Amino acid sequence: MLKGRLYISRLVYNLAVGFGLFLLFIFFLEGNRLYKLQREEQNKALFEKSATIFSEKIGTFIHGLQGIGGLYHIKNFEVTPNEIHDYAIFRNNFINFKGALGYGFIRVVKEKEIPAYLKQQKKFYPDFHIKKMGNLETTDLYIVETIEPISTNSSAIGLVMNSEAGRKKAAIDSIESGHAMLTSKIHLVQNVNNESGFIYLLPIYETVTVPEKIADRVKKIKGWAFCPITLSSLIGPLTNLTDNLFSYELYDITNPSHVDLLYKNKKILLSTKAYQSEVIIGGRTFLLKGESVVKGLLILDILTIIFFLLSGFLYTFLLYKLRFFLNSRHVIEERVSIAENWNRAVIDSSTFSIISTLPNGIITTFNYQAEVMLGYKSEELVGLKTPQILHVEEEVISRAQELSKELGLIVTPGFEVFTLKAKLRGQDSNLWTYVKKDGSTIPIKLNVSCIKGANNEILGYLGLAEDISYQIELNQKIENQKIQLVHNAKMISLGEMAGGVAHEINTPLTVILNKTRKQLQNLKSTSVDHNKLIEDLEKIDMTVLKIAKIINGLKTFSRNSEMDSMVEANLENIVSDTLEFCKEIFKFKNVNLKISGSLNYKIKCRPAQISQVFLNLFNNSLDAIENLESKWIEIKCEKNYEHIILSFTDSGNGIEKNIVDKLMEPFFTTKEVGKGTGLGLSISLGIIKEHGGDFYFDETSQHTRFIVKFPDHGLN
């Protein structure tokens, strides 16, 4: 009986222990399952942030490229290496855009312009020469003109980008699309570590805005702002962010038939969970794959279960594993927290305002620079508002109308206005006005890109905004100085003819004085010849009208006409009015003036500016021929199917070849000190270019001849 009771007692005990161990084991398995699910969600979120940072890292370089493009536009594409160097230091390029080996400019050089271009560049780089990178033959060359810092990039100067297929394709794609483009993976010549990378190319056109038609883009391309980027500078932020929690593989899948593996850091893993995300930027599609590394946790298998049921010692082992599991969980949570804090620190340290949103527009990120720029705290907007609250309503409505017309869609004034083009093309860049919390406004340049998930679904949008107040102020100062410079040059040209103008007025004044005195004497006498009196008064009236015409011409010429609208004007009248300032000094210096062909053509112009060009040419001719035995100036006009062409020829023997190349440069003059500013021809060139025409020295003439071409707008 006792033996039976002991048996039953042991049986009950063993069953209780077994049941308890079984329950403990089930609890552990469930806890392990929940942990794995949570870990997978955390890793997925961390991986998606990695893809976002990769996209943001490339996106930041576009602002440096836009700055270089702006400088070339402001300087009318005549920028010296020293100016690029000073701009790079002022813009703080090497801190603001870490990862780029430098920033520079690639110029399109026509085949016929190559000798002159090489001669010009040797002034800055004495050993400058063209270096082809491949065997592609081409007429026009895409030449690396300059890049900063030059100390580490000198090997790139003079490279012909379109002599190698990969670089040529990216350049042409950027011209046709109007957007910045990345090359495929290439070898960077200036990288001493023989590392691969990319070149980011932003097309720069003659116009500030991108031409609407592809044909116009090809025609008006001037070159590219560019920066070489090392592959390691793009991968580095990913590995730093995740602290080796992921094994990465990066592919370029732009061409599905030629997938290029860019980076791989495969590790030995205990267990993995794979993720992937496509990033579309710079005309290329990248596939980022990641496998999360599960450290220190072994998943139980059937042998462990059998061992647990057969051995009481497994209880202690399970307790140990449970404790390890909990500790491991805290470590992972801490690492995720560190990664999130680091990500936030990176975003807050940016010099740009960074705002990210969900697909419906609700703000999810509002960095420190955005708080400083707009006066809001992040907690006032994150999760509550859309970026539309930061914009001027009239601009949003206007942009919606522009997009509707451009895309042939009905675009309503709302959040879609900021994201539609980014959704269609991967990114969009526009000028906007931000409204600060206090109601004041600030001009910005906003770049919007899509944030995409592993399945190419849109997770949200990222907006990087740059305050362009200083750039606008600087551009306005430059424009004002340009206007003042043109006006001063006009006054100098008029001053050079001042003697002739004074004589032109003094002569009729003398006539008026003599006629008046004579008739006063007649009126004082008893006999008055009324016919003679009427004749003299009519002569005085005609003389006064002549003086009035000269004075009105002076008033029209001397006023600042920079902001005048284009009007229809008769070319013959403009030439005639200009000659009013010159004909007396021509007579005084025995200069014979000839006019060949009819000048009776209408052009669309600002007459005062065209008169300034003509007066400058008359002044130059007068200075050049005044000591010659034969002194003449000929104006000839002819018309072809698309231009009205004026030639100004004088009896001079032409201009030396080494001087011709410098004629149109600002401040270049062959006149003696105090007699010329060196601005006349360069300003004249600018005026005619603004009128859509052309202005150049005719090297084929045996005499000194300048050609002025006006477009025929169908007015004749």
Side-chain angles (χ1 to χ4, degrees):
M1 180 69 72
L2 180 60
K3 186 175 181 180
R5 288 178 179 176
L6 288 174
Y7 175 78
I8 293 173
S9 176
R10 288 176 182 174
L11 180 60
V12 171
Y13 174 78
N14 288 334
L15 288 174
V17 171
F19 183 73
L21 292 175
F22 177 75
L23 290 177
L24 183 61
F25 179 69
I26 295 300
F27 174 79
F28 176 78
L29 288 180
E30 182 64 13
N32 189 50
R33 185 184 69 82
L34 293 174
Y35 165 73
K36 287 194 297 178
L37 290 175
Q38 184 178 12
R39 173 68 186 275
E40 288 173 7
E41 289 297 321
Q42 291 171 342
N43 285 339
K44 182 180 179 182
L46 191 59
F47 179 80
E48 289 173 351
K49 286 186 178 181
S50 301
T52 300
I53 287 178
F54 178 77
S55 176
E56 290 175 355
K57 181 64 179 176
I58 298 177
T60 56
F61 297 121
I62 192 68
H63 299 285
L65 297 176
Q66 290 167 341
I68 294 294
L71 177 63
Y72 270 78
H73 268 296
I74 290 172
K75 300 293 290 182
N76 198 24
F77 294 94
E78 299 295 330
V79 182
T80 67
N82 286 338
E83 290 171 332
I84 286 286
H85 176 74
D86 292 342
Y87 174 80
I89 294 175
F90 173 78
R91 192 72 170 79
N92 215 1
N93 276 357
F94 313 119
I95 293 179
N96 287 338
F97 311 110
K98 289 182 179 178
L101 295 180
Y103 280 85
F105 184 73
I106 299 168
R107 187 181 294 273
V108 176
V109 181
K110 303 294 184 183
E111 183 177 20
K112 64 180 181 180
E113 299 170 350
I114 293 175
Y117 178 79
L118 288 175
K119 183 176 181 180
Q120 177 69 17
Q121 290 305 111
K122 285 182 181 293
K123 298 176 184 177
F124 308 119
Y125 306 109
D127 59 344
F128 184 92
H129 61 284
I130 293 175
K131 298 176 283 187
K132 290 195 173 183
M133 309 176 66
N135 299 321
L136 296 182
E137 294 296 329
T138 180
T139 53
D140 298 341
L141 303 184
Y142 306 165
I143 301 176
V144 176
E145 183 173 286
T146 185
I147 183 171
E148 275 293 322
I150 191 65
S151 58
T152 56
N153 289 278
S154 59
S155 59
I157 300 298
L159 290 177
V160 179
M161 297 291 290
N162 56 336
S163 65
E164 187 271 324
R167 292 171 171 85
K168 180 179 180 179
K169 184 178 186 306
I172 293 175
D173 287 349
S174 70
I175 295 174
E176 295 180 349
S177 68
H179 294 292
M181 289 287 177
L182 285 166
T183 65
S184 57
K185 185 181 73 173
I186 59 173
H187 169 68
L188 300 173
V189 298
Q190 63 268 64
N191 194 324
V192 296
N193 297 323
N194 200 30
E195 185 181 358
S196 297
F198 309 88
I199 294 179
Y200 213 4
L201 299 162
L202 177 66
I204 309 298
Y205 303 92
E206 293 177 3
T207 56
V208 175
T209 56
V210 177
E212 292 186 1
K213 297 181 180 178
I214 293 179
D216 291 338
R217 295 172 189 168
V218 173
K219 182 179 180 181
K220 296 185 179 182
I221 186 68
K222 297 292 288 185
W224 298 262
F226 81 104
C227 66
I229 310 166
T230 61
L231 184 58
S232 62
S233 69
L234 303 180
I235 298 299
L238 303 183
T239 56
N240 292 338
L241 170 67
T242 57
D243 193 20
N244 295 321
L245 290 177
F246 280 88
S247 172
Y248 285 108
E249 291 179 0
L250 180 63
Y251 297 87
D252 184 345
I253 62 171
T254 306
N255 183 359
S257 63
H258 180 69
V259 176
D260 190 8
L261 175 61
L262 303 179
Y263 175 79
K264 183 176 183 179
N265 69 332
K266 204 73 175 177
K267 300 182 178 68
I268 299 175
L269 310 177
L270 295 177
S271 180
T272 63
K273 177 68 176 179
Y275 305 95
Q276 67 179 25
S277 177
E278 284 188 14
V279 177
I280 302 175
I281 191 166
R284 307 208 71 79
T285 303
F286 299 95
L287 177 63
L288 182 64
K289 291 184 177 181
E291 294 180 335
S292 61
V293 182
V294 183
K295 294 184 176 179
L297 183 62
L298 296 175
I299 309 302
L300 297 178
D301 56 17
I302 189 63
L303 293 176
T304 308
I305 298 174
I306 295 172
F307 180 76
F308 174 81
L309 295 174
L310 296 177
S311 174
F313 292 106
L314 187 58
Y315 181 76
T316 304
F317 177 74
L318 291 174
L319 289 176
Y320 170 76
K321 291 299 294 181
L322 180 60
R323 181 182 178 186
F324 184 83
F325 164 76
L326 294 174
N327 289 338
S328 177
R329 179 176 179 179
H330 288 308
V331 170
I332 292 173
E333 288 177 347
E334 183 179 356
R335 288 185 174 179
V336 172
S337 177
I338 292 173
E340 289 177 346
N341 291 337
W342 173 254
N343 187 34
R344 183 69 192 182
V346 169
I347 293 175
D348 283 343
S349 64
S350 172
T351 57
F352 298 98
S353 162
I354 298 178
I355 301 174
S356 66
T357 74
L358 296 174
N360 63 2
I362 296 298
I363 295 173
T364 56
T365 303
F366 195 80
N367 76 334
Y368 173 74
Q369 185 60 30
E371 292 181 339
V372 173
M373 181 184 290
L374 294 164
Y376 289 97
K377 292 295 182 182
S378 62
E379 53 266 25
E380 296 180 77
L381 301 177
V382 172
L384 301 171
K385 301 291 185 180
T386 74
Q388 190 172 351
I389 193 177
L390 307 174
H391 288 263
V392 176
E393 182 179 1
E394 290 77 8
E395 284 189 354
V396 177
I397 295 173
S398 176
R399 181 61 176 160
Q401 294 170 347
E402 291 175 6
L403 288 173
S404 298
K405 183 177 180 181
E406 178 183 348
L407 303 176
L409 303 172
I410 298 177
V411 182
T412 57
F415 180 68
E416 185 183 26
V417 168
F418 311 112
T419 61
L420 182 57
K421 271 201 169 181
K423 185 188 297 184
L424 297 175
R425 302 175 183 175
Q427 65 177 15
D428 186 28
S429 182
N430 279 293
L431 298 180
W432 292 95
T433 302
Y434 265 169
V435 180
K436 300 167 70 173
K437 185 177 180 180
D438 61 8
S440 58
T441 58
I442 179 173
I444 56 109
K445 185 161 194 175
L446 178 63
N447 188 72
V448 178
S449 57
C450 292
I451 303 172
K452 295 188 176 182
N455 298 319
N456 204 36
E457 74 277 16
I458 294 178
L459 303 176
Y461 299 95
L462 178 70
L464 281 77
E466 180 184 15
D467 181 356
I468 59 173
S469 302
Y470 177 75
Q471 295 179 26
I472 292 175
E473 181 182 352
L474 182 62
N475 291 344
Q476 187 59 50
K477 287 182 179 179
I478 292 173
E479 188 63 25
N480 291 340
Q481 290 174 356
K482 177 183 174 183
I483 292 172
Q484 188 59 44
L485 198 63
V486 172
H487 186 67
N488 291 345
K490 184 192 295 185
M491 293 300 98
I492 291 171
S493 297
L494 191 58
E496 293 178 2
M497 290 295 182
V501 174
H503 182 74
E504 186 72 8
I505 294 175
N506 282 335
T507 299
L509 283 176
T510 302
V511 171
I512 293 172
L513 181 62
N514 291 335
K515 294 290 184 181
T516 303
R517 287 179 175 176
K518 180 179 179 182
Q519 290 303 327
L520 282 173
Q521 290 176 356
N522 290 338
L523 290 171
K524 291 177 182 179
S525 64
T526 56
S527 60
V528 176
D529 186 344
H530 291 283
N531 292 331
K532 184 62 176 174
L533 176 60
I534 292 172
E535 180 184 342
D536 287 347
L537 288 175
E538 289 176 346
K539 182 69 174 177
I540 290 171
D541 182 65
M542 292 174 59
T543 306
V544 169
L545 290 176
K546 182 177 181 181
I547 295 173
K549 181 179 179 182
I550 295 171
I551 293 174
N552 286 333
L554 287 171
K555 286 171 62 179
T556 301
F557 183 83
S558 61
R559 62 182 291 274
N560 192 337
S561 58
E562 185 73 18
M563 304 306 295
D564 287 357
S565 300
M566 296 280 190
V567 298
E568 292 183 16
N570 188 288
L571 198 56
E572 186 173 22
N573 292 341
I574 297 175
V575 172
S576 176
D577 290 344
T578 307
L579 287 174
E580 289 293 333
F581 307 138
C582 314
K583 61 185 181 182
E584 284 300 322
I585 198 168
F586 283 174
K587 291 179 182 178
F588 179 73
K589 295 192 175 183
N590 296 319
V591 176
N592 183 24
L593 178 66
K594 313 173 192 175
I595 297 179
S596 302
S598 173
L599 297 175
N600 189 23
Y601 292 107
K602 289 182 179 180
I603 61 174
K604 209 166 188 177
C605 68
R606 299 185 185 96
Q609 287 189 326
I610 302 304
S611 182
Q612 180 181 354
V613 173
F614 294 168
L615 184 60
N616 179 66
L617 291 174
F618 290 146
N619 279 335
N620 288 346
S621 292
L622 192 61
D623 288 341
I625 67 175
E626 65 177 335
N627 294 322
L628 298 181
E629 182 176 345
S630 174
K631 292 180 284 189
W632 53 266
I633 297 174
E634 181 182 22
I635 304 171
K636 185 177 181 181
C637 183
E638 55 188 358
K639 178 181 178 298
N640 60 23
Y641 64 96
E642 61 180 1
H643 289 104
I644 297 168
I645 306 169
L646 267 75
S647 62
F648 292 79
T649 311
D650 62 47
S651 54
N653 296 321
I655 301 175
E656 297 177 6
K657 174 64 177 175
N658 63 324
I659 295 178
V660 170
D661 296 337
K662 304 176 183 179
L663 274 179
M664 303 298 176
E665 294 180 6
F667 303 108
F668 175 79
T669 181
T670 58
K671 298 179 182 180
E672 61 189 55
V673 176
K675 197 169 184 180
T677 64
L679 291 172
L681 291 178
S682 65
I683 289 175
S684 297
L685 175 62
I687 290 173
I688 299 302
K689 288 288 186 183
E690 285 179 3
H691 283 72
D694 200 5
F695 177 73
Y696 58 91
F697 175 74
D698 185 359
E699 297 185 57
T700 63
S701 173
Q702 69 181 54
H703 294 289
T704 305
R705 176 181 294 161
F706 284 88
I707 304 295
V708 182
K709 288 185 177 181
F710 295 101
D712 183 4
H713 293 289
L715 303 175
N716 303 286

